[in-house]
Amino acid sequence: MSAISCLLMAIVLFGSSKVYPRSIEGLKHWGWGALGFGVANLLFSLRGLVPDWLSIIVANMIGVASFIVWWRGMRLLRGLALSSMRLWYMALAAVLLFLAYFTLVQPNIVPRRFLISGIGFAFYSGMAWLVWRRGQRLQGDYVFISLMVFGCLFTLIRVVATMANPASAATLLTPSSSQTAYVIAYNIMSLMNCIGFFLLATNKLQSELQQMADHDSLTGAMTRRSLMDKLAIEVAIAQRKSQTIALIAMDLDYFKQINDTLGHDGGDRVLCHFSAVVFKNKRPQDLFSRMGGEEFVLVLPDTDLHGAQRLAQRLHAALNTAHNDGIPAYTSSFGVGTWSGTPVAAVNSQFPLDTIEDWFKRVDDAVYRAKAAGRNRIELVTEPSISV
Ligand SMILES: Nc1nc2c(ncn2[C@@H]2O[C@H](COP(=O)(O)OP(=O)(O)OP(=O)(O)O)[C@@H](O)[C@H]2O)c(=O)[nH]1
C-alpha cells in the first residue's frame, strides 16, 4: 500500500516537474525520492520472502538515499546551493557497513533501528529548520513544518518503544496493534511528506505568478494596478496616523528620440537603467511604479514636501551624472506634491482633504510644467489646481 502510494506520488511529482516553470526546482528530486521510498517499502514488505540483505540492507540504503535526495530537492526549492555529494557518499558507505554488520555478521535489529530512526529524526528536524528559517512563511510552510514535527515525534516514539521493549523490535512482521499502528502511520507519512512538498512548490509558483502580475517585467517596478492596491493601504495608514504622503511623478525626456536613435532595445536599456537608479535611491517602504511607457511614480509614505523634494533632487543629480556603463545621457522631468487625509496632518499638507485623484492630477500638472519650462527639472506643487 505504502509502496503503491509512493510510486503514484512519484508519477505526480515527475509530471509536475515537466509542467511547472523551471524556477520551481526540486520536484524531480522529490519524484526520485518518492520512487526510492516506494521501492524500499516494497522490499520491506517482502521480508522473509527475499534474502535479508535485500529486504534489510538494500531497502534501508534506498530509504536513506531517498532522504538525501529529498533534502537536496528541498534546498533547490528554497533557492539554496547544493553541497558536493562526496560527504553524502561517505555517510552512505558508513551506513552500509553498519547495516551489513548488524544484518549479516551480528544480526540485531535494535542498533539498526536506532540508526535508521536517528537518520529519520535528523532528516525531519533538518527539514523543519530549513523551511522555518525563511523570514516570511506561507500557509504551506506551516503545514510542512507540522508534518516534519510529526515525523520527529514518530521516530522518537519508535526509539523509546524499542528501548523500552527490545524484544518487540524483533517481531516486526508479527501482527500486533502497535505494529499495525506503526505501519499505518508510516504509510500516511510517506504520502503526506510528498503532498507537503507539493504544497510548498505550489505556494512558490503562486507567489512567482503574483510577483509577475504585480511587477513590470522589464523594469521590476510595480504595475499601476498593484500600486493602486498598495496605495489604498498607505492612505488608510496615513489617515489613521495623521501622516503626510508624498508623490514624485517622473517622465523621461525626449524618450521617443532615444528610441529612434538607439532602437527599441536601447530605449528598454535606458528604462532599466532609470529604474535601477530609483531602486538604489529610494527607501524600502517607498512604492515605485511604472504607470506606462516612460512614465513612473514614487509614493513616499510619511514624507513631507521637503523630504520628497530632496529625493527628487538626488535622482535628478544621479541622472545628470555621466554614466560610464554604455547607457547614453538622458534626463527626466519631475513633479512633486504631498497629500494628507486628515485635518491634523493638514498642518503639513498643502491641500488637505482632497482626493487621491486630485493629488495625482496636480503632480502630473507639475510634470507638464517642468516639460514646458525646458525639461530636466523638478517642479513642486505649490497651488491647488482643484479646490475641495
Ligand atoms: N523602448 C521602449 N519604448 C517605449 C516603451 N513604452 C513606450 N515607449 C515609447 O516611449 C515614447 C514616448 O514618447 P513621447 O510620449 O512623445 O514622449 P517623449 O519623447 O519622452 O517626449 P517628452 O515626454 O515631451 O520629453 C514613444 O516613442 C513610445 O513608443 C517601452 O516599453 N520600451
Side-chain angles (χ1 to χ4, degrees):
M1 174 64 185
S2 166
I4 293 172
S5 56
C6 281
L7 294 178
L8 288 176
M9 211 56 225
I11 293 171
V12 172
L13 287 159
F14 281 132
S16 309
S17 75
K18 296 256 175 284
V19 181
Y20 277 46
R22 291 170 76 87
S23 57
I24 311 293
E25 291 187 274
L27 282 160
K28 230 183 254 177
H29 282 68
W30 272 67
W32 281 114
L35 191 63
F37 277 113
V39 173
N41 293 342
L42 191 69
L43 291 176
F44 285 138
S45 67
L46 294 176
R47 180 107 181 259
L49 301 173
V50 296
D52 278 357
W53 65 264
L54 193 57
S55 67
I56 298 176
I57 304 175
V58 174
N60 276 307
M61 287 305 295
I62 293 176
V64 174
S66 300
F67 273 143
I68 297 172
V69 175
W70 272 0
W71 172 258
R72 291 172 74 82
M74 181 58 86
R75 286 191 67 86
L76 282 177
L77 183 74
R78 287 312 214 209
L80 300 168
L82 292 186
S83 56
S84 109
M85 274 303 288
R86 228 186 41 205
L87 269 182
W88 291 118
Y89 288 138
M90 281 160 62
L92 279 173
V95 173
L96 179 63
L97 285 178
F98 187 95
L99 289 176
Y101 181 80
F102 285 107
T103 306
L104 305 174
V105 182
Q106 187 89 45
N108 189 347
I109 191 174
V110 176
R112 288 203 312 260
R113 184 172 289 179
F114 281 160
L115 177 74
I116 298 301
S117 299
I119 292 172
F121 185 83
F123 168 80
Y124 290 119
S125 49
M127 238 6 162
W129 169 77
L130 200 60
V131 175
W132 178 263
R133 71 181 204 166
R134 187 175 74 168
Q136 197 196 10
R137 282 175 285 276
L138 303 171
Q139 211 175 11
D141 296 338
Y142 290 107
V143 173
F144 192 84
I145 290 167
S146 308
L147 287 171
M148 295 302 107
V149 171
F150 178 74
C152 286
L153 289 177
F154 181 76
T155 47
L156 273 182
I157 290 170
R158 207 151 149 70
V159 167
V160 172
T162 307
M163 280 163 72
N165 186 6
S168 73
T171 58
L172 184 71
L173 297 178
T174 313
S176 70
S177 54
S178 64
Q179 209 48 256
T180 309
Y182 165 72
V183 172
I184 291 174
Y186 183 74
N187 283 349
I188 293 174
M189 251 175 51
S190 314
L191 188 65
M192 291 306 286
N193 287 345
C194 292
I195 293 174
F197 181 82
F198 198 63
L199 199 61
L200 290 189
T202 308
N203 268 180
K204 187 171 179 187
L205 176 67
Q206 204 179 4
S207 54
E208 280 190 3
L209 291 177
Q210 190 65 50
Q211 169 79 8
M212 276 163 69
D214 287 350
H215 294 85
D216 170 44
S217 59
L218 179 68
T219 60
M222 294 163 76
T223 57
R224 175 196 281 264
R225 188 190 50 75
S226 169
L227 174 81
M228 289 307 168
D229 288 349
K230 297 261 174 12
L231 188 59
I233 299 169
E234 290 304 334
V235 163
I237 294 172
Q239 278 178 325
R240 206 178 60 235
K241 296 189 176 172
S242 301
Q243 290 174 344
T244 304
I245 313 180
L247 175 71
I248 304 178
M250 300 161 285
D251 189 308
L252 301 200
D253 298 327
Y254 303 114
F255 195 65
K256 191 174 175 325
Q257 268 178 34
I258 296 176
N259 262 341
D260 292 344
T261 322
L262 302 176
H264 206 268
D265 283 353
D268 283 358
R269 280 206 310 282
V270 168
L271 290 173
C272 290
H273 182 271
F274 173 77
S275 302
V277 169
V278 176
F279 276 120
K280 201 171 145 199
N281 282 280
K282 78 179 192 68
R283 293 174 304 176
Q285 63 268 37
D286 297 338
L287 307 176
F288 175 46
S289 168
R290 184 178 179 194
M291 303 300 271
E294 82 298 13
E295 296 169 32
F296 297 83
V297 298
L298 254 174
V299 172
L300 315 174
D302 194 16
T303 306
D304 61 14
L305 188 68
H306 186 59
Q309 183 189 13
R310 280 214 311 272
L311 175 55
Q313 283 166 341
R314 252 197 348 263
L315 292 171
H316 180 257
L319 296 183
N320 282 280
T321 307
H323 10 266
N324 47 7
D325 41 16
I327 302 291
Y330 68 93
T331 59
S332 172
S333 298
F334 299 78
V336 184
T338 56
W339 179 88
S340 174
T342 65
V344 179
V347 175
N348 301 321
S349 167
Q350 300 159 287
F351 315 108
L353 300 178
D354 59 356
T355 66
I356 302 294
E357 287 74 24
D358 297 338
W359 174 37
F360 269 62
K361 166 91 174 56
R362 278 200 315 268
V363 177
D364 254 354
D365 289 345
V367 175
Y368 288 121
R369 283 205 303 279
K371 293 271 181 194
R375 297 176 175 78
N376 189 22
R377 53 189 289 138
I378 301 165
E379 280 288 325
L380 304 184
V381 175
T382 48
E383 286 175 26
S385 51
I386 300 171
S387 302
V388 179

